[in-house]
Amino acid sequence: MKELALQYNIPLPPTTKLKLHERENRAHFQGTRRRCHSIRALNYRNATSRARTSTIPLDVKEFEENSQSSNYYMRNKDEEAYDETMSLLSLSVKPDRNMALLDDYEMEEMDIGPDDPNHRSGYVAVLGKPNVGKSTLSNQMLGQKLSIVTDKPQTTRHRILGICSGSDYQMILYDTPGVMDKKMHKLDSMMMKNVRSATFNADCVVVVVDATKTPQKIGQVLEEGFGELQDKLPILLVLNKKDLIKPGEIKKKIEWYEKFTDVDEVIPVSAKYGHGVDDIKEWILSKLPNGPAYYPKDIASEHPERFFVAEIVREKIFMQYRNEVPYACQVNVVSYKTRPNAKDFIQVEIVVEKNSQKVILIGKYIDISETSWIEKDLNPDEMEGKALKLLATASRLDIEDFLQKKVFLEIEVKVKENWRQNEGLLKFYGYGGQIQAL
Ligand SMILES: Nc1nc2c(ncn2[C@@H]2O[C@H](COP(=O)(O)OP(=O)(O)OP(=O)(O)O)[C@@H](O)[C@H]2O)c(=O)[nH]1
């Protein structure tokens, strides 16, 4: 009956549909469990009736129409209001725990025990200034790389949701963009708004600071994170990069933070080397409320695969180019086709603000100051036009490693003047708190 309904695209009650989706996912990701980046949020449900392959990207107009209907749905949690065409994933809605309820077969399959009164679950917002190591720490806690890590500040643009599960707990981490002093573009303001909505859902907050820097009050970080929120959440201050300073200095800095900030605890760590990460987990667990899991335990993120594909390409851009160019790039996966007897076909566009940036990305001429990939003994003339090819190869290898399968990757560079100031485009690119679900 359910299969027939799906076949003829007859709307099903949301819960049924969600369960069907879970089964599809389980079959699809057989053998690659830990890499399953499935989606189970409340407002993703109707995307389940579409094929996993999505070829036609939404345009800005369609996006706006859909986001309106999804807001409508959020206001009226009434199944009649469910819009069959919507395929947007809201990053600010906490899923209903009941939506994750599974049948016996699924519980057994996913290694979830029966109702455990001591089970804990909740949301954790990871906040801090740019480049302090938030993404490195989140990746360490998750045990896999979900957020991109570079030596350049402000590389995290979206809130990355990572799910870390154990037999008796589930912590859902929001790795947020670094809190900035100055907001240069509309993009920066929208990113900061998203930082705030991460704490809106959170049960506790982890503020990361750089141990090599002079201690600083964390007021701005908390203000950006909490906004108008009245209730103060438990706050842990993580003194990161302890490997770079002397033990005596660590002690002094811990004392300073304990004395001059209003945090519940200070823990020194070295996220890069995994030192102290278990202490952070232990602190978080002590703050999470009792309750069942929000997501099945084998799921690592709520974001779709195409989101991570775009993030991988963005990371490679940061590694290959210098100065302003990486910051002016927006990466979109415009088409992702899974093909049964061929490699997956992924089409990516990189949007830049000026033609001069496009020229640098493609590598039509080489400006040593803008690129970091050029090797000293290579003649720049020989490299002409090869920059994009190098970028595509580096990206493809990482995407294949991430997806655990071979892909065909095509990258195109486009110019959209001042996209970082264009609110409509920014929302379309996911900075308004909603990303395209497929
Ligand atoms: N030595 C050392 N380096 C670290 C440590 N943690 C992070 N780093 C480095 O610090 C740099 C920034 O790390 P990220 O994790 O990208 O920092 P972030 O806070 O997420 O940065 P934004 O995207 O700007 O918000 C990278 O080069 C990391 O390798 C650490 O414990 N020790």
Side-chain angles (χ1 to χ4, degrees):
M1 176 61 198
K2 286 172 190 168
E3 279 70 18
L4 269 181
L6 260 195
Q7 193 181 338
Y8 293 104
N9 211 15
I10 299 164
L12 287 163
T15 316
T16 324
K17 206 170 235 184
L18 193 81
K19 295 236 175 200
L20 285 171
H21 177 49
E22 283 158 7
R23 293 207 177 92
E24 278 166 17
N25 267 341
R26 195 171 47 232
H28 185 86
F29 288 107
Q30 210 82 47
T32 55
R33 272 282 160 77
R34 290 296 303 158
R35 295 193 168 269
C36 170
H37 305 289
S38 175
I39 296 155
R40 286 159 196 266
L42 190 65
N43 57 338
Y44 179 65
R45 291 175 302 194
N46 65 332
T48 63
S49 61
R50 296 187 175 185
R52 288 195 49 77
T53 297
S54 95
T55 50
I56 307 161
L58 292 169
D59 60 18
V60 181
K61 194 165 166 284
E62 196 186 338
F63 175 86
E64 281 171 357
E65 281 163 9
N66 277 341
S67 55
Q68 274 159 18
S69 64
S70 95
N71 286 338
Y72 176 66
Y73 180 73
M74 282 169 217
R75 281 200 308 272
N76 301 276
K77 288 191 177 170
D78 158 9
E79 280 162 20
E80 298 303 314
Y82 173 56
D83 176 2
E84 194 57 31
T85 62
M86 183 186 74
S87 63
L88 297 171
L89 168 68
S90 170
L91 300 182
S92 54
V93 176
K94 205 170 181 174
D96 180 348
R97 286 188 206 222
N98 295 326
M99 296 302 291
L101 291 180
L102 308 168
D103 60 32
D104 292 346
Y105 173 73
E106 286 164 329
M107 301 257 283
E108 195 189 324
E109 266 278 281
M110 295 180 178
D111 196 22
I112 300 173
D115 280 353
D116 174 359
N118 297 320
H119 189 278
R120 288 168 180 268
S121 65
Y123 279 66
V124 185
V126 182
L127 308 179
K129 295 258 182 188
N131 226 28
V132 292
K134 298 179 295 301
S135 300
T136 310
L137 179 67
S138 302
N139 290 340
Q140 280 284 2
M141 291 209 280
L142 294 165
Q144 67 175 310
K145 187 174 163 188
L146 286 185
S147 297
I148 63 175
V149 172
T150 78
D151 56 1
K152 303 190 180 63
Q154 289 165 35
T155 49
T156 306
R157 282 191 185 154
H158 293 275
R159 287 187 296 133
I160 316 279
L161 184 145
I163 303 164
C164 172
S165 302
S167 59
D168 55 355
Y169 70 89
Q170 181 168 77
M171 49 179 91
I172 298 149
L173 299 180
Y174 277 128
D175 178 16
T176 62
V179 169
M180 290 170 247
D181 294 326
K182 283 188 203 141
K183 297 173 188 75
M184 310 278 282
H185 301 94
K186 196 148 209 118
L187 168 66
D188 303 332
S189 322
M190 286 174 84
M191 286 194 311
M192 286 307 97
K193 220 170 142 190
N194 286 337
V195 170
R196 199 165 291 182
S197 61
T199 45
F200 186 74
N201 282 331
D203 295 291
C204 63
V205 174
V206 172
V207 177
V208 185
V209 295
D210 187 334
T212 64
K213 301 265 158 67
T214 316
Q216 282 183 347
K217 293 251 166 104
I218 52 168
Q220 192 206 355
V221 172
L222 294 180
E223 201 179 306
E224 290 283 3
F226 287 100
E228 301 296 308
L229 272 188
Q230 295 293 317
D231 297 335
K232 189 176 155 296
L233 297 169
I235 303 171
L236 169 68
L237 190 131
V238 170
L239 191 62
N240 188 32
K241 308 193 186 181
K242 71 168 186 179
D243 52 289
L244 296 176
I245 62 170
K246 294 187 185 115
E249 270 185 71
I250 297 172
K251 197 167 166 276
K252 276 191 213 152
K253 288 191 176 170
I254 293 175
E255 282 166 7
W256 191 94
Y257 279 108
E258 281 173 345
K259 196 166 172 193
F260 294 108
T261 60
D262 190 17
V263 296
D264 297 282
E265 199 169 333
V266 181
I267 299 183
V269 307
S270 171
K272 189 170 178 175
Y273 302 104
H275 300 153
V277 174
D278 287 343
D279 298 336
I280 298 177
K281 273 191 174 177
E282 209 174 292
W283 181 88
I284 293 172
L285 273 181
S286 72
K287 306 296 170 203
L288 295 186
N290 284 113
Y294 282 91
Y295 299 89
K297 298 265 173 121
D298 62 338
I299 283 181
S301 178
E302 197 190 34
H303 289 15
E305 281 166 345
R306 61 188 297 154
F307 173 86
F308 293 105
V309 166
E311 285 292 284
I312 290 169
V313 177
R314 218 160 59 74
E315 181 185 61
K316 301 298 164 222
I317 294 173
F318 268 94
M319 290 165 80
Q320 188 170 314
Y321 303 89
R322 286 197 188 128
N323 298 340
E324 182 58 10
V325 172
Y327 295 98
C329 291
Q330 164 64 27
V331 180
N332 303 316
V333 174
V334 291
S335 174
Y336 187 141
K337 292 182 197 166
T338 32
R339 303 181 293 189
N341 299 317
K343 292 176 183 175
D344 284 5
F345 177 77
I346 305 175
Q347 217 178 348
V348 165
E349 67 172 20
I350 302 174
V351 177
V352 288
E353 289 188 315
K354 298 180 204 155
N355 202 50
S356 58
Q357 293 158 346
K358 176 175 173 174
V359 166
I360 291 167
L361 267 187
I362 293 173
K364 283 206 176 129
Y365 79 93
I366 303 298
D367 179 345
I368 302 270
S369 69
E370 296 286 0
T371 51
S372 55
W373 50 269
I374 192 156
E375 287 173 31
K376 278 191 207 106
D377 51 348
L378 271 178
N379 174 359
D381 293 338
E382 285 172 24
M383 295 302 292
E384 195 172 299
K386 288 190 179 158
L388 194 63
K389 203 160 176 276
L390 280 174
L391 177 75
T393 306
S395 305
R396 180 180 54 76
L397 292 174
D398 253 29
I399 291 167
E400 288 181 343
D401 186 42
F402 181 77
L403 297 173
Q404 294 284 288
K405 57 181 161 180
K406 294 274 177 206
V407 301
F408 183 86
L409 178 69
E410 196 178 89
I411 300 185
E412 194 188 351
V413 185
K414 284 185 177 167
V415 179
K416 285 203 169 116
E417 275 184 27
N418 283 330
W419 69 263
R420 281 184 286 181
Q421 299 286 20
N422 183 327
E423 193 166 342
L425 270 181
L426 287 166
K427 283 187 178 161
F428 180 55
Y429 294 154
Y431 300 105
Q434 283 182 318
I435 57 171
Q436 290 178 46
L438 280 179

